[in-house]
Amino acid sequence: MKKLKLGYAPTRRFTFSAEDAFKYKVEIRKQIESFGMDIDIVDLEGLNEEGLLYDDHINADLIAKRFKEEEVDAVFFPHCNFGTEDTVARVGKALGKPVLLWGPRDEAPLADGMRLRDTQCGIFATGKVLRRFNVPFTYVTNSWVNDPVFERGFTNFVAAANVVRQFKSLRILQIGPRPASFWTMMCNEGELLERFGIEIHPITLVDIQLRTRKIAAGNSAELLDTMDYIKEKLDYSEVTEDDVRRIAALKVAMKSFARETGSSAIAIQCWSSLQEALSIMPCLANAILTDEQIPVTCETDIHGAITSIMVQAAAMNELPTFFADITIRHPENDNGELLFHCGNFPVSLSVEQKPKLRKHFLFDDHAPGTHEGEIRGGGMTIARFDGDQGEYSMFLGKARGIEGPYTRGSYVWVEVNDWPLWEEKLVKGPYVHHSVGIHANVIPAIYEACNYIPGLTPDPVDPTEQEIQSWLRGSDLARTKQSNLHV
């Protein structure tokens, strides 16, 4: 996955201090680099002596040309003083990428009453002109360069931009049709393409069968490495050496199809024809690929694959997702729920040092290939992209892992704030029994990303939309500061 590219276009206006604007251009750049995000920054250096956007001496076309040639994924317009709002808006319009608007707080007026920057006033102007140009943008509260509010807003914007860039270039490898009895997995392929630009690349179960058998018959380095990984990471005592080879071959085959088709996620018809064709279940192969940032969803769940890409992008592709059924309520905790699937959760999330590679517990012929065991708890986000009747939304909620009874398959018990509320929202839809989890709070990033995806409505259950907006404004930090002042 290539790094996200951020266009850095600090702006000033001629009527205020050019010296202070230049100083802040440098300070802001140092500050965002200190946040430790693995991104590439494309600036305006060399376009004029200051590397600043001002007075149209560097016109919008020239700036947009640089950013287009560098293929930036988003643009940051820090207002180092009042700023040049018309040029900012024209560049934002020309690029059509996520836009971040922010400026550092102004110092007190000088002793003679003069003010150096009037940054906040300029931000008001730019916000209005961006609206006139129909440019959606993200705004971070006017704050000091080293203020946690700025760091929170900037890092969340970058994560949101990462969601947008991966969503808008999304192609999903579909292996086989949906299982006939899974009506919940219906999706409108034409509408996904027309509305969101999401492409589906279908192949048949025969395609995956033939390639898997061919790979299993050989001794490629990728096959042998995958077999070694399985033997090192899992207890495979309940299956045969040939089973391990076939599972590894399926993983290699799926990955090769994903590479060839330019697909970033896979939706596979995992049962029941696949095990009849290959004598294995794909669960562990799915788990290994998901750990490698190629999420695989079961039962040909296209919407689940879309969710997986969005969720891992919101975590800057630093953490794996897990794809789960929402199954039963906790026997003792009324706000507890079981997240489960047959054996596809990433191995890296396992509680056990060596989780078991087993035969599937639901089928009479007990095809091998499930990776079973509990995964770690802690805080996590639960999400689901879904739609019907021509409308699409993104379910978002936070959960935490809790203790619960042993069960077969891959699983984790979680607690949420108000399970009856979750249940009602999930049943009334447009959602289904599938969800995607990740061990991070990516809700604000996905919420912000929806601002740049026309036709997709964020649908948070916990926190609420108002609570997310309050968090993004840094209202909690402001309350803490106020409390400290009173103390």
Side-chain angles (χ1 to χ4, degrees), residues 6-10 28 32 74-78 98 100-102 150 154 157:
L6 178 71
Y8 182 63
I28 295 166
I32 62 177
V75 190
F76 178 28
F77 293 104
L100 177 61
L101 177 61
W102 172 83
F150 173 51
F154 178 85
F157 169 77

Side-chain angles (χ1 to χ4, degrees), residues 77 86 116 119 123 145 268 280-281 326 342 380 403 455 465:
F77 293 104
D86 54 328
L116 294 174
T119 293
I123 291 171
V145 174
I268 186 170
I280 56 169
M281 289 294 294
I326 303 172
C342 305
M380 60 189 80
E403 295 294 324
E465 189 166 8

